[in-house]
Amino acid sequence: MRIVVLAGGIGGARFLRGLKSAVPDADITVIGNTGDDIHLFGLKVCPDLDTVMYTLGGGIHEEQGWGRADESFAVKEELAAYGVGPEWFGLGDRDFATHIVRTQMIAAGYPLSAVTEALCRRWEPGVRLLPMSDDRVETHVLIDAPDGTRKAVHFQEYWVRLRASVPARAIVPVGAEQAKPAPGVLEAIAAADVILFPPSNPVVSVGTILGVPGIREAVADAAAPVVGLSPIVGDAPVRGMADKVLAAVGVESTAAAVARHYGPDLLDGWLVDTVDAGAVAEVAAAGIRCRAVPLMMTDTEATAAMAAEALTLAEEVRA
Ligand code: GDP
Ligand code: CA
């Protein structure tokens, strides 16, 4: 079975771990969000690709959900001693090595997709991990400036430094219009037996991937059923501040509103949590087959059960 998953960071990575456990023999291609990428200290950092790679490769800091286990911060402290920031982005010593290798390879002329493949040779994530694009796309967030105008900040500054504490007025994926899908992305979508949207952020993770010209169309036109899992449980994101960026695109933070936001052109099936069972009829009325099942990724077993439910729903819509 060929499965394609459009993944962000933590939500995507944890789901993928469950999916691999549910269907160990499946051929899984992950199309990763690179809109969160940022240049820091002269290095190219790809937070979502790395979260997927470390989580599936056994190097993740489990409790935190991002970054490396057994991390130390000597480089960051030394940089701070020179007055060199930003201090708000947590780059550990082990993590730095990944970004150095990546930046070095990119400077030598390798595209991000080739670099990601090379990094994955060490981590053996058990999936084919593709960046959505080899071209630079950077998500910016428009916020209110003190003088009443609007200013754009990098997504990481909004999310990590400001902790989404001010309203997001708009989400701007800078560079998306000119970006091309990375080699293999459209081919994987066209050849897929099932396409899954994990419980990743619908705006700044899955939405950014779909915003690369050609990807949304490929998913909509794919022969494979497309099934998503709600990142919103009980009218709130399970983790993080997805409600802030949903508000910026005029979408309520409910499982049903997110399904309608993707729409029946993209989605054939949608899973909501059992606490949102009341939303099933509304999603079905929008033309998307829907079921309520437990959607909390408390451990790999629970997550594998979610993945199995998604695949069952995909089989149903195919029939
Ligand atoms: P990020 O790039 O690290 O923000 O990660 P993603 O975009 O892949 O996923 C973030 C989303 O995962 C958030 O909107 C959370 O609501 C969602 N999420 C995290 N843990 C769970 C969980 O256990 N169950 C569900 N349904 N959603 C989750
Ligand atoms: Ca992310």
Side-chain angles (χ1 to χ4, degrees), residues 105-132:
M105 286 188 72
I106 285 178
Y110 290 94
L112 182 62
S113 49
V115 175
T116 305
E117 194 181 335
L119 294 171
C120 283
R121 248 171 255 142
R122 169 182 175 193
W123 290 102
E124 300 182 343
V127 299
R128 181 163 172 240
L129 177 59
L130 302 176
M132 64 188 196

Side-chain angles (χ1 to χ4, degrees), residues 6-14 33 36 47-48 51-52 65-66 155 159 198-202 204-206 229-233 236-243 246 271 273 294-298 303 306:
L6 272 51
I10 301 178
R14 289 191 172 160
N33 171 42
D36 292 17
D48 286 0
T51 296
V52 170
W66 54 270
F155 173 73
W159 207 247
S200 280
N201 191 305
V204 293
S205 293
V206 180
L229 299 94
S230 178
I232 304 293
V233 171
V238 176
R239 211 191 135 107
M241 300 131 323
D243 49 323
L246 280 165
L271 292 177
D273 189 84
L295 287 190
M296 297 302 283
M297 299 189 283
T298 42
T303 313
M306 286 165 55

Side-chain angles (χ1 to χ4, degrees), residues 94-177:
R94 293 179 188 279
D95 202 16
F96 258 112
T98 304
H99 313 315
I100 291 169
V101 173
R102 175 184 293 123
T103 307
Q104 192 166 265
M105 286 188 72
I106 285 178
Y110 290 94
L112 182 62
S113 49
V115 175
T116 305
E117 194 181 335
L119 294 171
C120 283
R121 248 171 255 142
R122 169 182 175 193
W123 290 102
E124 300 182 343
V127 299
R128 181 163 172 240
L129 177 59
L130 302 176
M132 64 188 196
S133 178
D134 279 335
D135 302 317
R136 187 164 164 178
V137 177
E138 228 172 62
T139 304
H140 287 200
V141 180
L142 288 191
I143 61 173
D144 296 327
D147 66 0
T149 60
R150 296 241 157 117
K151 73 164 185 170
V153 296
H154 189 288
F155 173 73
Q156 297 296 353
E157 184 168 358
Y158 181 72
W159 207 247
V160 181
R161 186 173 80 83
L162 298 172
R163 306 227 36 93
S165 57
V166 297
R169 301 301 183 189
I171 310 296
V172 187
V174 179
E177 280 165 37

Side-chain angles (χ1 to χ4, degrees), residues 1-6 15 19 23 26-29 31 188-197 219 222-229 268-269 307-318:
M1 183 169 35
R2 282 162 301 193
I3 306 175
V4 167
V5 182
L6 272 51
F15 175 76
L19 179 66
V23 280
D27 165 355
I28 303 171
T29 298
I31 301 172
I189 293 170
D193 297 309
V194 181
I195 299 170
L196 299 176
F197 294 178
V219 171
V226 181
V227 170
L229 299 94
D268 299 301
E309 290 284 0
L311 295 174
T312 303
L313 190 58
E315 281 315 313
E316 274 182 42
V317 297
R318 194 201 311 277

Side-chain angles (χ1 to χ4, degrees), residues 2 23 35 38 42-43 49 61 75-76 91 127 141 149 164 174 179 185 194 231 235 296 299 314:
R2 282 162 301 193
V23 280
I38 185 167
L43 301 175
L49 293 181
H61 185 303
V75 174
K76 192 179 180 208
L91 283 189
V127 299
V141 180
T149 60
V174 179
V185 165
V194 181
D235 300 343
M296 297 302 283
D299 53 32

